Amino acid sequence: ILRRLLDLPLSARIVVIDNGSTDNTADQILAFKDEPRLDYLFYDEIQGKGAALRAGLTIARGEYAVL
């Protein structure tokens, strides 16, 4: 999904929050670490959906946010 979003002809930034997942989500996100439109945040422990959303909105820049 991330690759498809980055391939869209948009100037939008993409914020990804890894909320302490135990799968390989962090590795998949780090594969795109040099992508300038991507911001990401990793939690070591699950913080909950609300905390992840608030963190994403804190990182987000711009007039609109799509969740």
Side-chain angles (χ1 to χ4, degrees):
I1 293 173
L2 188 53
R3 175 77 274 153
R4 289 183 185 254
L5 287 171
L6 291 168
D7 286 344
L8 291 173
L10 302 172
S11 62
R13 299 193 62 79
I14 299 168
V15 177
V16 179
I17 309 297
D18 180 356
N19 191 22
S21 64
T22 57
D23 58 11
N24 66 345
T25 299
D27 293 334
Q28 292 180 29
I29 295 168
L30 288 175
F32 296 93
K33 69 179 181 210
D34 295 327
E35 173 58 53
R37 294 185 302 146
L38 179 65
D39 290 319
Y40 51 87
L41 177 64
F42 301 107
Y43 284 115
D44 292 331
E45 297 180 11
I46 295 174
Q47 304 293 310
K49 182 178 180 178
L53 290 172
R54 285 189 298 278
L57 291 172
T58 300
I59 294 171
R61 296 175 235 147
E63 189 173 349
Y64 302 102
V66 178
L67 307 170

